[in-house]
Amino acid sequence: MAGACCKCPVAVSVFKRSLSVAPRGCGPAVRPQLLGWRLGERSLQEAARPCSALRPAGFYRHTAFLCLSCQESMSESLRTCYLYLNQTSRSFAAVIQALDGELRHAVCIFYLVLRALDTVEDDMSIPLDKKVPMLNDFHTYLYQQDWCFTESREKDRQVLEDFPTISLEFRNLAQEYRDVISDICQRMGVGMAEFLEKKVGSMKEWDLYCHYVAGLVGVGLSQLFSASKLEDPEVGQDSELANSMGLFLQKTNIIRDYLEDTREGRAFWPQEAWSQFAERLEDLAQPERLESAISCLNLLVTDALRHVPDVIVYLSRLRNQSVFNFCAIPQVMAIATLSKCYNNPMVFQGVVKIRKGQAVTLMMNATNMRAVQTIISQYSQEILQKVSLTDLSRDKTLHILGVIQEKSAQSQSSLPSTTHHLSPMYLSAAMLLAALSWQYLSTTAAQAQGIGDMQGQ
């Protein structure tokens, strides 16, 4: 038994939507990416879809009202789960709640289960001889109605203390959703336990680590999409593409957060890469090693870019607008971030961020496949223009950029020739997305100031 088990009652008088974003400095040692498909906690198709498949005009103007109306029919335990969702997922809680039908509840519970699992992994106060069995067995707690853990010191410990409420709503889901969530929880728990005392060594191990903490989330979400009937069965069946969606986001986070992670004693850059340029990972931040550091950075960016062709294929298969928005926006934010990181010394000196206006534009535009293709092509060209003649990864970088451009052109030619612009029904959604992006980037700016203060001390 892990900790004292209890049923923690929570009175919910008002259900509020939070648009705040947690600073990355509070992040875990292992970062599952649920809603990194979230780029996740960090920031939010009609082109290839018939107009009749889209939501009616005015839908988004009433989204908030509909959400409040739905709450009235929810059980108290389900309302509590959405309260926890808003408290812990923050920036993308609103996007989860914009998903259609019963998929919304399934993804909400999926997130909370993985958040609870992640909280166990993050808690350094739990000894390994206790933590490893908890991670391996965590999926079994979903069917133990009274299991909870009251000894955590983590900021999100409420999802463990009141796990009986979350597990109750898990058991209320349809069987097809429960099977997916339980399976992913088991596989992720085993992976987390494996990497507790294991550093990321080879490039293959980097892929495996990212698979456990992000790729599996992509696989699970894809299976939920298909189980909901909002997407075709092939979306959930093609685990390779779903895995690439998660790996692209996770690798982008790891690359961008080099300085923050190394200062906090976390090492996620694969040793096979950085050992070519330094004796220790943290040495890459030394000014005299800047040239070598840039070479290592560009090597890893190139490796992350190899997932983009899979991202293009995956997104092109989606049919439901809410699912497309949920998946596409983090991906375009990721490639914009990679473009900003490529060949950029600031990765080793401070915080790399995209401009607020740039983020708002990305979030407003990434609502159809043609627009997403244009965005991917744009940032691929930006990276191409920055490839140095002397960069050690130059040939590989040029090759993958060529593949991305070719894949983008192929997908573009297969789309309908009609114009694809945001329709009036997206105006309210755009305002929401703009608010989310503002919160995300304001937090990043605060982080930059914090790091600057640290450097000055």
Side-chain angles (χ1 to χ4, degrees):
M1 183 73 79
C5 288
C6 61
K7 181 71 174 178
C8 309
V10 178
V12 182
S13 57
V14 180
F15 186 81
K16 296 183 178 180
R17 174 175 294 172
S18 170
L19 295 180
S20 62
V21 181
R24 291 271 315 158
C26 300
V30 174
R31 305 187 192 92
Q33 207 55 45
L34 178 68
L35 316 167
W37 285 44
R38 349 175 205 162
L39 198 65
E41 300 223 15
R42 310 264 324 169
S43 21
L44 248 132
Q45 82 218 94
E46 84 199 64
R49 319 291 178 242
C51 293
S52 59
L54 300 179
R55 292 171 175 165
F59 177 90
Y60 282 104
R61 288 195 292 271
H62 304 291
T63 297
F65 172 77
L66 289 175
C67 289
L68 291 171
S69 299
C70 291
Q71 292 166 29
E72 295 177 359
S73 62
M74 289 181 187
S75 64
E76 179 179 348
S77 57
L78 187 55
R79 290 198 301 271
T80 300
C81 286
Y82 276 98
L83 176 65
Y84 292 154
L85 172 67
N86 280 274
Q87 290 174 343
T88 57
S89 76
R90 300 176 177 92
S91 62
F92 271 79
V95 185
I96 295 176
Q97 292 169 111
L99 288 169
D100 290 337
E102 61 185 19
L103 177 62
R104 180 188 311 116
H105 298 330
V107 174
C108 171
I109 299 305
F110 185 40
Y111 173 82
L112 292 176
V113 168
L114 296 191
R115 171 56 67 188
L117 176 67
D118 182 46
T119 302
V120 172
E121 194 283 333
D122 290 343
D123 197 330
M124 302 306 294
S125 69
I126 305 176
L128 287 180
D129 60 353
K130 190 175 187 178
K131 181 184 292 188
V132 170
M134 285 181 68
L135 293 175
N136 286 325
D137 297 339
F138 200 86
H139 66 286
T140 66
Y141 305 150
L142 293 168
Y143 290 98
Q144 298 179 26
Q145 63 179 6
D146 293 325
W147 186 90
C148 66
F149 185 71
T150 59
E151 299 174 10
S152 176
R153 300 176 184 176
E154 291 294 298
K155 61 184 179 64
D156 291 330
R157 59 185 174 273
Q158 72 269 26
V159 294
L160 289 173
E161 294 172 348
D162 194 22
F163 196 75
T165 294
I166 298 170
S167 66
L168 171 63
E169 287 305 322
F170 163 82
R171 294 188 297 273
N172 286 339
L173 293 173
Q175 183 67 49
E176 54 266 31
Y177 297 134
R178 297 201 304 271
D179 289 346
V180 171
I181 295 172
S182 177
D183 175 61
I184 297 300
C185 181
Q186 179 182 15
R187 294 160 66 184
M188 184 176 286
V190 170
M192 286 180 169
E194 178 181 338
F195 275 92
L196 276 178
E197 294 186 295
K198 177 182 178 181
K199 292 185 177 181
V200 180
S202 67
M203 298 298 287
K204 287 186 176 180
E205 286 178 331
W206 198 36
D207 278 355
L208 181 61
Y209 166 75
C210 292
H211 166 72
Y212 282 139
V213 302
L216 282 175
V217 179
V219 172
L221 285 169
S222 300
Q223 293 174 352
L224 292 178
F225 298 157
S226 293
S228 71
K229 309 299 183 185
L230 294 177
E231 296 297 344
D232 295 336
E234 69 171 348
V235 172
Q237 293 167 357
D238 198 333
S239 59
E240 183 176 348
L241 291 185
N243 185 60
S244 284
M245 292 282 285
L247 263 61
F248 183 55
L249 298 181
Q250 184 69 7
K251 289 181 177 180
T252 298
N253 283 341
I254 289 173
I255 291 167
R256 177 198 59 203
D257 294 335
Y258 163 85
L259 191 61
E260 176 188 328
D261 286 337
T262 54
R263 283 178 170 173
E264 296 185 10
R266 303 190 296 243
F268 297 111
W269 282 28
Q271 185 174 359
E272 181 181 336
W274 61 258
S275 62
Q276 300 177 42
F277 306 98
E279 293 185 2
R280 300 182 305 162
L281 177 59
E282 54 267 33
D283 291 344
L284 293 176
Q286 297 175 0
E288 63 271 20
R289 291 187 177 271
L290 182 58
E291 184 176 349
S292 295
I294 292 295
S295 294
C296 184
L297 168 65
N298 292 346
L299 184 157
L300 294 182
V301 170
T302 299
D303 181 79
L305 286 171
R306 67 185 173 88
H307 300 294
V308 174
D310 283 350
V311 169
I312 294 171
V313 175
Y314 183 98
L315 293 176
S316 69
R317 291 179 176 177
L318 299 179
R319 295 293 178 266
N320 178 268
Q321 186 70 63
S322 70
V323 172
F324 186 88
N325 294 348
F326 180 84
C327 297
I329 292 174
Q331 301 294 332
V332 298
M333 295 287 285
I335 196 165
T337 301
L338 276 187
S339 176
K340 189 74 173 180
C341 289
Y342 186 82
N343 222 36
N344 189 350
M346 281 303 297
V347 171
F348 306 97
Q349 300 167 359
V351 175
V352 176
K353 59 180 181 178
I354 59 178
R355 300 186 309 276
K356 293 180 181 179
Q358 182 182 5
V360 172
T361 300
L362 288 172
M363 291 179 172
M364 289 175 62
N365 288 347
T367 56
N368 65 79
M369 195 61 212
R370 187 176 294 278
V372 168
Q373 292 295 88
T374 300
I375 292 169
I376 291 174
S377 179
Q378 170 193 338
Y379 287 108
S380 297
Q381 285 292 331
E382 283 192 8
I383 295 174
L384 180 62
Q385 293 171 7
K386 293 188 285 186
V387 177
S388 168
L389 290 172
T390 59
D391 188 80
L392 298 179
S393 303
R394 172 183 170 84
D395 291 343
K396 290 183 178 179
T397 306
L398 293 178
H399 173 73
I400 189 57
L401 289 175
V403 173
I404 292 171
Q405 290 293 339
E406 181 180 358
K407 181 69 69 174
S408 296
Q410 290 175 351
S411 297
Q412 287 272 18
S413 63
S414 67
L415 295 176
S417 58
T418 54
T419 57
H420 306 287
H421 299 287
L422 287 176
S423 62
M425 70 178 178
Y426 289 107
L427 292 178
S428 294
M431 294 175 62
L432 172 62
L433 295 175
L436 289 171
S437 65
W438 181 270
Q439 290 287 340
Y440 159 61
L441 289 158
S442 295
T443 301
T444 306
Q447 286 180 260
Q449 181 177 356
I451 287 183
D453 293 342
M454 291 172 57
Q455 291 174 332
Q457 292 177 350

